[in-house]
Amino acid sequence: MRGRSGLGAGAPWTRGRTARALAATTAAASLAALTACGAAGEAGGGTGDASGEGGFTIGLLLPDVHTARWATADKPLIQAKVKELCPGCTLLHAYASADVATQQQQIESMIAKGAKVLILDPVDDKALRSSVARARDANVPVVSYDRLADGPVSAYSSYDSEEIGRIQAQELLKAMGPKARGGEIVMMNGDPTDPNTRDLRKGALSVLEGKVKIAKSYYTGGWIPENAFRNMSAAIAELGPDRIDGVLSANDGLAGGIVTALKAAGVKPLPPVTGQDADLSAVRRVVKGEQYVTVYKSFEAEAEAAARMAVALGRGEKLDDIAKDRVSNGTNDDIPAVLGPLVAVTAANVKDTVVKSGLYSVGQICTPALEAACRKAGLTG
């Protein structure tokens, strides 16, 4: 993370708001389910009458249709907060399908439609620099969201990705037990064009180096679960199912592809696998014992901060009362930022973290197939 923040893994929960691929039909079905998400393309998401007093248009640009959280959490949370803060405002939203050219066109379209502020989660932080500059030239401030874009951004809402990588690595070593010294792991990084990928990897390596052997390491184009599935299948074929002591997965979507590949190849017992985002499917895997940990970042806190900064910028207000942190993207060394706290979620603390926070109910997590696992995790009687 290119920034400065006083928050880290130790932030209290109450303060928080970051191969042999078998041709089995069941594996294919499981993999297909990993890509389910919201509709792609630009759509109007009006939160009010823009002609009302104080109303203006805010554009929300999300990077892909492969990561479940964008459609299920971030977009509706931002939309609701904008409506609360500015009933007369309109929110337009678009998904870029992990394509830079598409997102560039969407930015141009939103500026042309009169957006007064953009909330941008860039597909590629460097490739979108000219688009951020184009928005600045049109007097449209950009709130960089979740990933820090290059160029003259006005604000940033996210988490410390290096710290997430450190947490993932620490939890992986804990789960590996005696094999945390000299064991072999597979490292499944995110998309190489995403600045968070670089920071996650840097944080993880600061913990892993000198302790375990990284037998195979991959970058996963577009953060697409199918690509993680293929990479993991190749690792299993090359290393053998008995030589994988752990998998450092950058997020929950990739973890889903990884677990599907391991199960398809008949790997038993499953090695510990990491993740982040606390996707519902990942929390269920954690309870079931198929994924060891996910790092929970409060989407509500991240979305609320982005919405508050966007509305303030649209009204010409300063961000001093909202953004207490500062980050640098190489263009600007003093970008107002809100960086949220992080929580490692394992089967031992699901009840005290994602359930207690209200992210998911026990009923949502504990499907009939997970009845025994939920009892063991203390989620049901």
Side-chain angles (χ1 to χ4, degrees):
M1 183 72 168
R2 293 166 291 183
R4 308 184 298 275
S5 172
L7 295 171
W13 180 256
T14 55
R15 283 169 48 194
R17 309 258 194 235
T18 127
R20 279 184 318 208
L22 301 184
T25 302
T26 53
S30 297
L31 186 61
L34 294 169
T35 59
C37 58
E42 185 173 328
T47 59
D49 180 4
S51 63
E53 183 180 354
F56 51 88
T57 298
I58 297 172
L60 172 63
L61 299 114
L62 296 166
D64 61 60
V65 295
H66 305 109
T67 305
R69 59 170 285 194
W70 307 135
T72 61
D74 299 79
K75 195 273 279 188
L77 287 168
I78 290 172
Q79 191 170 40
K81 193 63 182 180
V82 167
K83 183 175 182 179
E84 175 189 330
L85 295 170
C86 183
C89 285
T90 293
L91 183 76
L92 300 178
H93 70 274
Y95 300 93
S97 301
D99 181 70
V100 170
T102 297
Q103 194 164 59
Q104 289 171 328
Q105 292 167 359
Q106 290 168 343
I107 291 171
E108 288 291 338
S109 174
M110 288 192 177
I111 293 173
K113 289 179 179 180
K116 196 169 181 180
V117 185
L118 298 179
I119 300 173
L120 170 66
D121 191 336
V123 171
D124 183 322
D125 62 317
K126 298 188 183 305
L128 269 295
R129 179 172 183 165
S130 61
S131 295
V132 174
R134 164 77 180 92
R136 188 270 315 273
D137 292 343
N139 295 315
V140 178
V142 173
V143 177
S144 200
Y145 186 71
D146 201 67
R147 304 168 183 172
L148 183 57
D150 278 9
V153 301
S154 298
Y156 182 47
S157 178
S158 189
Y159 295 84
D160 187 333
S161 292
E162 282 190 33
E163 182 63 20
I164 294 171
R166 285 189 287 270
I167 293 171
Q168 290 174 331
Q170 290 161 357
E171 292 294 323
L172 181 63
L173 293 179
K174 185 188 304 182
M176 289 172 64
K179 294 181 179 179
R181 286 288 179 181
E184 295 186 87
I185 71 166
V186 173
M187 192 168 191
M188 198 71 66
N189 304 292
D191 188 286
T193 66
D194 184 343
N196 285 349
T197 294
R198 299 191 290 270
D199 290 339
L200 287 165
R201 179 179 171 82
K202 181 179 178 181
L205 289 177
S206 72
V207 174
L208 297 173
E209 287 180 332
K211 295 178 182 176
V212 295
K213 176 183 177 183
I214 300 174
K216 297 294 294 183
S217 181
Y218 302 92
Y219 286 98
T220 314
W223 292 90
I224 298 172
E226 290 98 326
N227 292 340
F229 174 87
R230 285 191 286 270
N231 289 341
M232 194 66 218
S233 297
I236 296 167
E238 184 170 340
L239 301 174
D242 299 326
R243 285 183 53 201
I244 300 171
D245 301 314
V247 184
L248 195 292
S249 171
N251 81 349
D252 289 339
L254 304 189
I258 290 163
V259 170
T260 301
L262 290 166
K263 292 169 70 175
V267 176
K268 292 183 179 180
L270 292 175
V273 178
T274 68
Q276 69 162 311
D277 290 338
D279 290 346
L280 179 57
S281 58
V283 172
R284 288 172 177 162
R285 286 194 299 271
V286 168
V287 170
K288 193 176 180 180
E290 294 180 343
Q291 181 175 326
Y292 178 71
V293 66
T294 180
V295 179
Y296 174 48
K297 310 170 298 186
S298 170
F299 302 148
E300 185 172 6
E302 185 180 19
E304 177 177 332
R308 291 180 66 199
M309 290 190 287
V311 169
L313 289 168
R315 290 172 172 164
E317 298 170 355
K318 293 185 178 181
L319 303 179
D320 296 348
D321 291 338
I322 303 171
K324 304 300 184 183
D325 300 307
R326 293 294 183 270
V327 296
S328 169
N329 66 356
T331 303
N332 185 343
D333 292 332
D334 195 36
I335 300 169
V338 178
L339 303 176
L342 306 164
V343 177
V345 178
T346 66
N349 70 354
V350 166
K351 186 174 182 179
D352 292 329
T353 54
V354 294
V355 173
K356 185 176 181 179
S357 74
L359 180 64
Y360 304 121
S361 67
V362 170
Q364 286 176 296
I365 297 169
C366 295
T367 63
L370 293 181
E371 183 179 352
C374 281
R375 280 200 304 270
K376 183 177 179 181
L379 293 172
T380 58

